């Protein structure tokens, strides 16, 4: 939290198929695994690009692993959507979790690292992940969806737990050879 790159829309990726883009995606996956995350947006590692990676189950236990570049989110309309209030955390707000309403279905449209079109459909927890990570690339965190009171509570949780979270991440990084 507090990094300027997290609070503004990211730049669109315009060059696909480059070794640099592939390396960034690989590095983001490793960073996400070290931090025990289900998703990670490029701006969370200081890179101003519309890109995120994910390794996230849906509500049926199906694991979804991949990346999407320049995502655009399609959500169900008001007449056909179901909002689910569930706890959500964020690697940029270490140690905090708050209930956030999200739709139970989402579709992300974008591109893979080679520039081929992608359409990713998410249900349940995976839909939440797609919405959370797309929020990042447009300059929002889940804290922006909270009331002032809940936002303050989340920031207090982060302050209270941050050192423990970072210590756990350091241990995991050492195990993974980072």
């Amino acid at each position: 939290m507090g990094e300027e790159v997290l609070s503004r829309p990211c730049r669109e990726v315009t060059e696909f198929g480059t070794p640099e883009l592939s390396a960034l995606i690989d590095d983001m996956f490793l960073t996400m695994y070290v931090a025990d995350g289900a998703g990670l947006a490029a701006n969370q590692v200081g890179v101003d690009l519309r890109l995120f990676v994910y390794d996230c189950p849906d509500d049926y236990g199906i694991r979804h692993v991949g990346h999407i570049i320049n995502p655009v989110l399609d959500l169900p309309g008001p007449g056909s959507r179901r909002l689910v209030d569930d706890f959500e955390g964020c690697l940029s707000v270490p140690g905090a979790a708050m209930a956030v309403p999200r739709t139970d279905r989402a579709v992300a449209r974008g591109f893979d690292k080679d520039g081929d079109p992608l359409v990713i459909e998410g249900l349940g927890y995976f839909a939440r992940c797609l919405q959370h990570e797309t929020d990042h690339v447009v300059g929002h965190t889940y804290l922006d969806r909270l009331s002032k009171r809940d936002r303050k509570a989340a920031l207090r949780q982060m302050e209270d737990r941050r050192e423990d979270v970072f210590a756990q991440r350091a241990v995991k990084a050492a195990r993974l050879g980072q």
Side-chain angles (χ1 to χ4, degrees):
M1 284 306 303
E3 296 293 327
E4 192 268 333
V5 72
L6 290 174
S7 61
R8 62 178 158 78
C10 295
R11 293 180 302 115
E12 287 211 1
V13 173
T14 57
E15 290 186 43
F16 296 90
T18 67
E20 294 82 11
L21 186 59
S22 291
L24 173 61
I25 291 167
D26 291 344
D27 288 347
M28 287 173 60
F29 269 110
L30 186 54
T31 300
M32 179 182 69
Y33 292 139
V34 165
D36 284 326
L40 183 71
N43 60 348
Q44 292 181 274
V45 294
V47 178
D48 179 25
L49 290 176
R50 292 179 57 88
L51 156 67
F52 66 82
V53 299
Y54 56 87
D55 186 342
C56 183
D58 61 23
D59 284 2
Y60 302 100
I62 298 169
R63 182 179 175 202
H64 301 269
V65 180
H67 69 276
I68 188 165
I69 297 169
N70 300 335
V72 175
L73 203 60
D74 295 331
L75 300 174
S80 62
R81 74 175 168 204
R82 187 171 75 92
L83 286 178
V84 177
D85 229 4
D86 205 353
F87 279 86
E88 199 166 305
C90 181
L91 300 181
S92 295
V93 190
M98 297 298 287
V100 179
R102 301 270 191 187
T103 63
D104 65 340
R105 294 178 290 134
V107 175
R109 300 177 192 282
F111 302 92
D112 70 11
K113 65 183 177 180
D114 297 316
D116 295 323
L118 284 177
V119 177
I120 303 166
E121 297 182 45
L123 299 173
Y125 185 68
F126 184 46
R128 177 173 296 277
C129 177
L130 294 174
Q131 293 168 76
H132 179 107
E133 298 307 329
T134 300
D135 272 358
H136 274 300
V137 301
V138 297
H140 299 290
T141 68
Y142 83 96
L143 296 178
D144 297 323
R145 295 187 174 272
L146 300 176
S147 68
K148 284 186 178 183
R149 187 174 123 209
D150 286 348
R151 180 183 171 91
K152 285 181 183 178
L155 293 172
R156 274 193 305 276
Q157 287 178 16
M158 181 183 75
E159 283 304 314
D160 292 346
R161 300 175 184 158
R162 182 186 352 214
E163 287 184 33
D164 289 339
V165 170
F166 287 161
Q168 291 169 5
R169 288 179 184 175
V171 168
K172 186 149 189 187
R175 279 198 311 252
L176 292 172
Q178 288 296 299

